[in-house]
Amino acid sequence: MRLRITLTIFPLLVLLLGYAARSHLESLNWLAAGLLAGTLLAVYGLRMTRFEPTAQGLFYTPNAHLGIALSILFVGRILYRLIEVYVVAATTSPGDMDFVRSPLTLAVFGLLAGYYIGYAIGLARWHHRVLRVKREREARAEEVESS
């Protein structure tokens, strides 16, 4: 269920932020670059993950450092941007959309979203592959028993 939520929420947020920044091509380019870099990090993260298909179920142990570092980077950027937009630049009365139009903020969010989307896709592929192999093995066993 967690994979479905990740694969629904993060792409939706990417689309919403992209729509909000649609008039700023540079910001959209930074978002795309962040998504690409996050996807590459997800591939690396999947290689560092320990997968364990057991009789009790399918388990995996991710590399916690990568996810935590990306989350801290994102939270730090959001806090910095909040201070920058609503405290330091309070005299210029920024609009609500100024928050999401920052190229660096969109790049950091893209990095986080790309990582979590890519990682969730990798987990889903592993899950389906393991279940497919299990079904094939059971089908061969039934063929042997029926012969």
Side-chain angles (χ1 to χ4, degrees), residues 8-22 28 31 35 109 113 117:
T8 302
I9 298 297
F10 274 106
L12 185 60
L13 288 173
V14 168
L15 289 174
L16 290 173
L17 286 173
Y19 181 77
R22 70 189 178 281
L28 290 176
L31 177 63
L35 286 167
F109 175 76
I117 292 169

Side-chain angles (χ1 to χ4, degrees), residues 3-144:
L3 290 178
R4 290 184 183 136
I5 292 171
T6 299
L7 291 174
T8 302
I9 298 297
F10 274 106
L12 185 60
L13 288 173
V14 168
L15 289 174
L16 290 173
L17 286 173
Y19 181 77
R22 70 189 178 281
S23 62
H24 300 284
L25 185 59
E26 179 185 348
S27 296
L28 290 176
N29 289 337
W30 279 99
L31 177 63
L35 286 167
L36 177 63
T39 302
L40 295 174
L41 278 175
V43 170
Y44 173 74
L46 286 164
R47 288 186 182 156
M48 301 300 292
T49 300
R50 192 175 80 229
F51 296 98
E52 302 174 53
T54 67
Q56 292 79 25
L58 302 177
F59 300 97
Y60 65 96
T61 306
N63 182 334
H65 298 98
L66 206 50
I68 291 170
L70 287 172
S71 296
I72 289 172
L73 176 67
F74 180 67
V75 168
R77 177 59 189 164
I78 293 299
L79 290 175
Y80 177 81
R81 187 69 178 140
L82 283 170
I83 292 168
E84 181 182 51
V85 169
Y86 295 109
V87 176
V88 175
T91 59
T92 61
S93 66
D96 292 336
M97 287 294 127
D98 288 344
F99 182 77
V100 296
R101 288 188 185 138
S102 165
L104 185 57
T105 301
L106 289 176
V108 171
F109 175 76
L111 186 68
L112 181 76
Y115 174 76
Y116 281 111
I117 292 169
Y119 197 85
I121 289 170
L123 287 177
R125 290 182 66 206
W126 169 71
H127 183 261
H128 290 294
R129 186 173 53 247
V130 169
L131 292 180
R132 186 185 72 236
V133 168
K134 180 182 175 187
R135 284 190 303 270
E136 290 171 356
R137 186 174 46 237
E138 290 171 351
R140 281 194 303 262
E142 287 178 12
E143 287 176 8
V144 170

